[in-house]
């Protein structure tokens, strides 16, 4: 497994943790510490595949990404993408392959269960001020598609919560839906 490392315009693709540490030591702003070196080595040897971000100073980070790309051009052209394993039980094979936008717009009349995580504006009784609270909402509704399910849920909530509440995009990770079956 290779490692792609980027800090602003400095980037490299290395083949082991030693080369990663050497590259990071060559950048004085990063300030390599024994703890940072140990963490990078641990990340390189682990089975974790998500990108790792390390803080250099406030709002400044460098990133390390595991990849199977043999060289930088393969990495840039996304030729060594790792297949995503879907751990959910009962998900149809086509749902795992289809992109979110395609699934959202797919016309399938029936019952849907949609879950939405949004920022709801509520008043704090002690202070009389308002604040945003993360709110999870789940509903079952008749709909024509996943997007129609999203629109029905948001329309329902807009009439019942403060108008300053913020709803996520239907394409984002804060909206999930599942087709339950045809209506009668």
């Amino acid at each position: 497994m290779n490692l792609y490392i980027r800090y602003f315009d400095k980037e490299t693709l290395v083949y082991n943790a030693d080369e990663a540490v050497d590259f990071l030591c060559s950048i004085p702003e990063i300030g390599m510490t024994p703890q940072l070196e140990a963490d990078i080595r641990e990340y390189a040897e682990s089975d974790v595949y998500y990108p790792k971000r390390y803080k250099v100073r406030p709002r400044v980070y460098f990133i390390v990404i595991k990849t199977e790309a043999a060289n930088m051009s393969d990495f840039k052209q996304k030729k060594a993408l790792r297949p995503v394993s879907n751990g959910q039980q009962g998900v149809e094979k086509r749902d795992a392959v289809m992109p979110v936008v395609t699934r959202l717009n797919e016309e399938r009349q029936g019952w849907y269960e949609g879950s939405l995580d949004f920022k709801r504006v509520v008043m704090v009784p002690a202070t009389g001020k308002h604040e945003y609270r993360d709110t999870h909402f789940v509903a079952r509704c008749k709909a024509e598609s996943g997007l129609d399910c999203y629109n029905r849920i948001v329309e329902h909530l807009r009439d019942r919560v403060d108008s300053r509440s913020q709803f996520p995009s239907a394409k984002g990770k804060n909206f999930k839906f599942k087709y339950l079956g045809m209506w009668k």
Side-chain angles (χ1 to χ4, degrees), residues 18-84:
D18 291 330
E19 292 176 6
V21 169
D22 290 343
F23 173 74
L24 292 170
C25 285
S26 71
I27 304 171
E29 301 98 58
I30 290 181
M32 183 60 74
T33 64
Q35 293 84 7
L36 179 60
E37 181 179 344
D39 193 57
I40 289 171
R41 290 181 189 284
E42 182 180 320
Y43 172 71
E45 294 170 8
S46 70
D47 292 335
V48 176
Y49 287 95
Y50 59 83
K52 192 115 185 221
R53 189 172 74 159
Y54 293 93
K55 190 173 193 174
V56 175
R57 59 182 183 273
R59 294 189 306 264
V60 176
Y61 300 87
F62 71 88
I63 190 167
V64 180
I65 301 173
K66 282 188 178 178
T67 181
E68 294 176 1
N71 55 46
M72 187 66 85
S73 64
D74 285 354
F75 178 78
K76 294 285 186 173
Q77 295 172 2
K78 297 182 170 90
K79 289 184 179 176
L81 288 178
R82 194 170 182 283
V84 177

Side-chain angles (χ1 to χ4, degrees), residues 114-153:
S115 67
L116 185 71
D117 295 321
F118 70 103
K119 301 279 186 189
R120 183 177 186 176
V121 173
V122 294
M123 187 178 79
V124 179
T127 63
K129 295 183 179 180
H130 292 80
E131 71 178 14
Y132 286 104
R133 288 230 178 106
D134 291 330
T135 306
H136 182 72
F137 183 79
V138 179
R140 291 184 177 177
C141 62
K142 288 182 179 179
E144 307 279 326
S145 66
L147 186 59
D148 187 35
C149 172
Y150 170 82
N151 290 334
R152 288 174 187 256
I153 290 172

Side-chain angles (χ1 to χ4, degrees), residues 88-100:
Q88 297 175 347
Q89 298 281 338
V91 174
E92 296 176 11
K93 190 173 187 176
R94 66 173 177 73
D95 288 346
V97 174
M98 292 174 83
V100 174

Side-chain angles (χ1 to χ4, degrees), residues 4-12 23 27 29 72 76:
Y4 169 77
I5 304 169
R6 185 180 73 221
Y7 178 70
F8 289 108
D9 61 342
K10 298 175 178 106
E11 64 182 359
T12 188
F23 173 74
I27 304 171
E29 301 98 58
M72 187 66 85
K76 294 285 186 173

